[in-house]
Amino acid sequence: MKKIIITLFLIGSLLPLLVNAQVQALKGTVRDSKGVIPGAVIFEKDVPVNGTVSNPDGTYALKLRGAQKVLVVRLVGYLTAEFKVPPGQTDMDFTIQPDTKGLEEVVIVGYGQGSKLSNTNAISAVSGDEIRKAPVASLQNALSGKLPGLITQQRTGQPGSDAAQFTIRGVNTFAGSDRSVSPLIIVDDMEYTGNFSDIDPDQVETISILKDAASTAVFGIKGANGVIMVTTRRGAVGKPSFEVRSDLAFQGSTFRPRFLNAYESAKLRNEALLSDGLAPEFTQEDLDHWKNGDDPYGHPDIDWWSTLMKPYSKQSNNKLNIRGGADKMRYFVSLGYIWQDGMVRDFTDKTSEVNTNYYFKRYTYRSNLDMKVTKTLDLSLDLSGVFGERNEPNTRGRANRNRVFFEIFDYRGLPPHAYPIYNPDGSYGAAPTSRVTGPTNNIVGRLRLGGYRRTYTNDIQINLKAAQRLHFILPGLSLKGALGYTSNQDFRRSLTRTNFPAFIYDSKNNTYDPFNPSQFRIDKYNLEYDPGDVVKRLNLQLSLNYDTTFRNRHHVYALALLNQFTSSSGADLPENFRGYTFRVGYDYKKKYMLEVNGAYNGTDRFKSSKRFGFFPAVSAGWNVAEESWFQDRIRSVDLLKLRGSIGLVGSDDIKGNQYLYEYYYARNGSYSIGENHKGISGIREGTLGNENVTWEVERASNLGLDLNMFKSSLTFSADFFDRYRTDILAARNSVSNMIGIPLPPSNVGIMSTRGFELELGYHNRIGKFNYNAKGNYNVARNNIIFMDEANAPYPWLQQTGGMYGRSKGFVFDGFYNNDDEINKGPAPRVRPLPGDIRYKDLNGDNVIDQYDQRYFDVANSPTTTYGLTLGADYGNISVSVTFQGQANFGFMSFAEAITPFFGNLRDVHRNAWRPDNMDNPSFPRLSTVDNISNARTNPSDYWMTRGDFIRLKNAEISYSLPKQWISRIKLNTVRIYANGYNMHTWMFRRNIYDVDPEISSDTEGGVYPNQKSYNVGINVTF
């Protein structure tokens, strides 16, 4: 298999050297009504291989070779035009007209494409050129704020793991570790089984998201969460064009926590102990040493963030793309390499070859070949793959969490006064058990000597497609076939060690006590390897397509498709899928549109009698602006289209247990027999089977409007949607555990999501100055119609009727300021002290207990998202800026993230409640013991931080060197640019955690922070 892949890739790489095209000759300029047009494609109608592209000043040159002497001029956003060249003419200018109605703007749909003018589905798209402006390693991170309906949240910035979670129109099922809410990924009409984040943006032509049932029903039981369609770049007629791009970015944290020093921390520690009625831990002498800094070994004061973290890390991104072809064959070849360095400083010996930092390397390749075998037969062969390497340090740490950032937050393991990094004699410092809890060895020593844990990714995709036109049977009829093979493998290698000598130094007595008395030397490295499993898939598609227009007014199209695949992982049983898809559509003069589509498909995840389901959809549209009575009265409107759709889609995503319908028996049963207990092992009955388990079903409806005005300078679209999902697989929580046996999940849940999406765009030109703006605003709010819950004594204790994913806790009602308030108020389970949080007594029984907890108003996922992109260019200079925002969501953390003396202290703890600071404290009284204010044992909405924010997501400025400068060295274009990502964030509410608002909720803190990037790069074509 490896030899076959290498051979195919070499063929794709060498083809640019074998296929060639003719040079230019005929001179002229391409214009529109406002000026010259760069980037227009000009080619001969009867010799498509003979073509060129207009220069930045609109000029072109081409030598005619065909007999017809007809030139075709084509450019996205303009109507394709044909021009007859008179005999003997050597200079000819072309004027092309804007495509104000979207007549030629292509819309990607499932297993096909259509025009924007006749599209009746809810689809949003973004070009690859726009995506490539963001200096990111993960593809979805470049989509934030650019596509209406796409919701992204980047939970971490760790190299190789920084891909944002994303949904289309929010979450409409009960998510969890056994369920995916992410959309289906389709790349060039084949389901993509790798990581979406590993798709190289340089390989992307367009990305479209399919949002309503009319666009996703063709995918049947895989379409309920929406679909992302990726179209990759392909070859073009012309001589080989080489594109080289190189970027270098500098990255840093979007939010940096700033911790108090040893003196401030120790002082507040003593205050907290006194507040608890306990003796202070540190003497005045200790405080003086930390304040004066006169005993750095006995009283160390370490800023662990600055000590362990670099001020910035680097990211390098390099690409080579080759594109070209002739009439018989076209090719696109791409090679990419990206390297992300980690934030941790390099403590390793310069002679060491062991990299103990965070880092990520990725190599990508793609070869797309399109061949015209005969006049009616086309073949394509696509080969692509990814090699990834993700590294992280082996630090182990407290409870073997292996998280450096957690340790920086951890007061019990790494306070600022824990230990000196190095003792006076140069040995590693360590802390006595009296100073830290569960002591761990010196963190700098662990970063230097601990080794690494490394994960490798190896993904390969091969697609072979054929398209046979059958116009000799029926005009517009064609037969297509596709065979796809994918292989995805993750495997791991670790080189680790745990122990090395470190010493606890006593500065008073000048003595050294070993941290581990039995450790006299550094451990040897331990090498471990996990081969993982290879997940393979073989995908077969066969389709019959029909598309024709009668009498220039009746457009009819149809599709019938068979799609099936088999997936296998290691020695596990294979998974099988088979589906039948159909589409039938009609439009009259692109004025009245009607389409019916659907799928009948199934999977062996369900019982044989319940494997297949039917998922139909219908959509219709009316182009009002095409009516003659409208055109006569309102000439400023180019497009006014009303559209609507309704249909059924499904989801068969059941992770963890592929065969829920089967009964389960385990060998670890234990029985008691005899008059006196005697245990005997044997077979026991496990989780019951659910013979009725089936897919989730969603009824989705959508109403939309598209409007173009003033020759499409102003564009507007609006969509209103309603998603109603039934048969959601969920646990039977209303059944008591007294039944004595685990129950399987059942299709009992019901959930709905409603919302709307608005998109407004404007572009214009003043002389050579072009400017544009596009904004979107989206709302998607879900509601649990039914969740199988135990009967609750009070309605606020149930999730049913509210938004999914909310946390539960007490309701903040201020602080207790004195004993009188404590005595008069409702009684918590533990008597509070002045300065503790006071909670509302929701049920009025004068007791604060579990019945006074309720689900909060917001979840960790936003219900509202918005984005704004501004752009302008003048001559060779261009500028673009993207703002992204999210609203109506929150996050909360506990323990090391916020609780004093679990976590290291920060500025928010300075202004804690005290008898002399009762009016406006920023924090409850400081305490060293568990109390009613503890965020973990007594969660409340006081700890729920609203995450609403606006972020300067992406900005770029670029300059293209003048053509006359670079043509002398045989270059076509040279573009120099600087751009940034996550550049600044404005939050609307207080951020007591000092972390990025997109982090996951209900965590203990210490996540690798999200990164902002500042990047410089150069793009050269020749």
Side-chain angles (χ1 to χ4, degrees), residues 507-518:
S507 62
K508 288 185 178 180
N509 302 313
N510 194 29
T511 59
Y512 295 82
D513 292 324
F515 172 75
N516 182 351
S518 62

Side-chain angles (χ1 to χ4, degrees), residues 47-295:
V47 190
V49 67
N50 189 24
T52 187
V53 177
S54 61
N55 299 314
D57 59 357
T59 61
Y60 76 93
L62 182 69
K63 183 177 181 179
L64 303 182
R65 293 195 296 114
Q68 295 183 10
K69 306 300 180 185
V70 175
L71 290 181
V72 179
V73 182
R74 179 178 297 164
L75 181 64
V76 175
Y78 289 83
L79 295 173
T80 299
E82 295 184 3
F83 299 91
K84 179 72 175 178
V85 181
Q89 187 157 342
T90 57
D91 294 288
M92 188 171 183
D93 294 343
F94 304 131
T95 300
I96 56 177
Q97 303 299 321
D99 183 10
T100 59
K101 300 179 181 180
L103 289 170
E104 298 192 22
E105 186 174 342
V106 174
V107 175
I108 303 299
V109 298
Y111 307 116
Q113 61 183 35
S115 71
K116 180 180 179 180
L117 184 63
S118 59
N119 173 56
T120 56
N121 304 333
I123 299 174
S124 297
V126 64
S127 70
D129 290 336
E130 185 69 22
I131 294 169
R132 286 185 280 276
K133 292 179 181 179
V136 296
S138 298
L139 180 58
Q140 59 261 53
N141 295 355
L143 303 179
S144 299
K146 297 183 183 296
L147 288 169
L150 183 69
I151 301 172
T152 65
Q153 286 184 288
Q154 187 177 350
R155 303 302 196 181
T156 175
Q158 180 178 337
S161 302
D162 63 355
Q165 297 177 3
F166 57 100
T167 60
I168 293 178
R169 290 183 168 177
V171 175
N172 201 38
T173 187
F174 302 159
S177 60
D178 63 339
R179 197 77 46 83
S180 172
V181 296
S182 297
L184 177 69
I185 308 298
I186 301 292
V187 177
D188 294 333
D189 284 335
M190 305 291 280
E191 184 175 346
Y192 187 74
T193 59
N195 296 319
F196 182 69
S197 59
D198 285 335
I199 298 176
D200 193 329
D202 262 52
Q203 301 176 5
V204 174
E205 186 72 34
T206 61
I207 291 181
S208 304
I209 60 172
L210 315 185
K211 300 179 285 189
D212 64 341
S215 58
T216 62
V218 293
F219 300 100
I221 57 176
K222 294 184 175 296
N225 294 331
V227 180
I228 292 184
M229 304 282 296
V230 179
T231 303
T232 61
R233 299 166 72 180
R234 310 203 72 83
V237 173
K239 65 179 183 179
S241 173
F242 293 80
E243 178 186 14
V244 179
R245 185 160 69 91
S246 183
D247 293 0
L248 177 63
F250 299 87
Q251 301 181 318
S253 301
T254 55
F255 284 78
R256 175 193 163 169
R258 298 190 179 275
F259 301 99
L260 303 186
N261 60 29
Y263 169 72
E264 294 172 307
S265 298
K267 186 179 177 182
L268 292 180
R269 173 76 174 178
N270 281 353
E271 290 182 12
L273 288 166
L274 291 174
S275 174
D276 294 330
L278 302 173
E281 180 178 342
F282 303 109
T283 66
Q284 186 60 46
E285 181 184 1
D286 292 327
L287 296 177
D288 290 341
H289 281 308
W290 279 314
K291 185 175 183 180
N292 299 323
D294 54 10
D295 184 18

Side-chain angles (χ1 to χ4, degrees), residues 64 332 372 470 536 581 605 647 705 884 887 969:
L64 303 182
F332 173 77
K372 183 168 293 206
L470 303 174
K536 300 178 182 179
T581 295
R605 291 178 175 179
L705 177 147
Q884 173 226 3
I969 55 175

Side-chain angles (χ1 to χ4, degrees), residues 940-988:
S940 71
D941 59 359
Y942 177 82
W943 306 109
M944 174 61 74
T945 293
R946 286 294 291 266
D948 303 17
F949 70 88
I950 293 178
R951 200 192 301 270
L952 177 52
K953 195 68 177 180
N954 181 221
E956 180 180 85
I957 181 169
S958 68
Y959 177 71
S960 298
L961 298 185
K963 186 77 174 177
Q964 57 268 29
W965 293 7
I966 60 177
S967 58
R968 299 175 182 177
I969 55 175
K970 307 300 182 181
L971 298 180
N972 293 333
T973 62
V974 177
R975 179 172 169 267
I976 303 169
Y977 52 89
N979 50 35
Y981 178 76
N982 278 351
M983 302 173 71
H984 191 76
T985 305
W986 296 269
M987 290 187 66
F988 302 142

Side-chain angles (χ1 to χ4, degrees), residues 88 209 217 232 246 295 320 340 350 459 480 528 539 584 609 653 697 722 732 787 860 924 975:
I209 60 172
T232 61
S246 183
D295 184 18
L320 169 63
Q340 286 180 296
K350 300 304 179 184
D459 295 345
K480 296 181 179 179
E528 295 182 354
N539 193 176
V584 178
S609 59
D653 191 359
V697 178
D722 183 0
R732 300 301 301 268
M787 174 183 283
N860 190 221
R975 179 172 169 267

